[in-house]
Amino acid sequence: MKNFLYTLAILASTSLISNAQSGLFIDTSYTAEQMIMDFFDNSCVTPSNITFNGSPVMMGYFEGANTDLGVNAGIVISTGDVTQLSQNAGFFATTANNADGDPDLGSLVFLPTYDAAVLEFDITVADTGDLEFQYVFGSEEYPEYVGSGFNDIFAFFVDDQSGSGMQNIAMIPGTT
């Protein structure tokens, strides 16, 4: 069996789920390592080198089976306080975490970023099969700030250790 090492960096500079319904459950008591190990540690995939950069309120575990997110459970990251994400759409979620930005995100938009939440880990895959991730991106700032200097950014970087470097796979279909 071949082993492949994948480096995955999930970077978000915004609220991941901004118009979530009251059926959204969020728990911030878990560490990044606990969540990654719970979701990915099995006979086919082994995670390691797990790090989270950001304020502790910027990440949590969520259950969304009673919402229209299309994802039943997972890890939520946000530039703000993830516990505010279950508020109704009229709630203005804002938290100044004073977290640093991220240079990889900045290189995508050619601007400095602020309050980046960065979850990064390596995955060793025990087979040549496919590895699949589901993600949902939302923005508290949409549509009020479209085209302004305040725009949210999300990237999902993967590095397959082939030497080609990190690639952002979070692309709108048919665009670059």
Side-chain angles (χ1 to χ4, degrees), residues 12-173:
S13 175
T14 185
S15 298
L16 182 63
I17 307 165
S18 66
N19 62 347
Q21 298 76 19
S22 62
L24 183 66
F25 170 79
I26 297 175
D27 185 345
T28 59
S29 67
Y30 298 101
T31 66
E33 184 167 0
Q34 289 171 320
M35 288 188 288
I36 295 297
M37 295 303 286
D38 187 48
F39 279 103
F40 297 105
D41 190 22
N42 58 53
S43 63
C44 298
V45 177
T46 304
S48 62
N49 299 324
I50 302 162
T51 61
F52 177 73
N53 292 315
S55 171
V57 300
M58 298 169 85
M59 180 193 62
Y61 165 79
F62 79 89
E63 290 180 7
N66 296 324
T67 69
D68 62 359
L69 288 172
V71 180
N72 289 336
I75 300 168
V76 59
I77 56 178
S78 171
T79 59
D81 181 343
V82 295
T83 62
Q84 293 180 347
L85 299 177
S86 62
Q87 300 291 331
N88 66 37
F91 179 79
F92 181 69
T94 182
T95 302
N97 286 310
N98 297 316
D100 290 334
D102 182 80
D104 293 316
L105 288 174
S107 70
L108 295 175
V109 293
F110 308 108
L111 295 169
T113 60
Y114 304 96
D115 283 339
V118 180
L119 178 58
E120 191 169 356
F121 54 98
D122 295 337
I123 298 175
T124 302
V125 180
D127 199 332
T128 59
D130 293 333
L131 185 60
E132 184 175 304
F133 292 89
Q134 293 180 331
Y135 58 90
V136 176
F137 171 76
S139 171
E140 167 58 44
E141 297 175 346
Y142 183 85
E144 298 91 348
Y145 293 98
V146 171
S148 76
F150 300 99
N151 285 292
D152 294 328
I153 184 171
F154 171 79
F156 194 115
F157 288 109
V158 175
D159 181 350
D160 66 3
Q161 302 298 309
S162 67
S164 61
M166 288 197 314
Q167 296 178 343
N168 180 15
I169 62 168
M171 306 300 283
I172 297 170

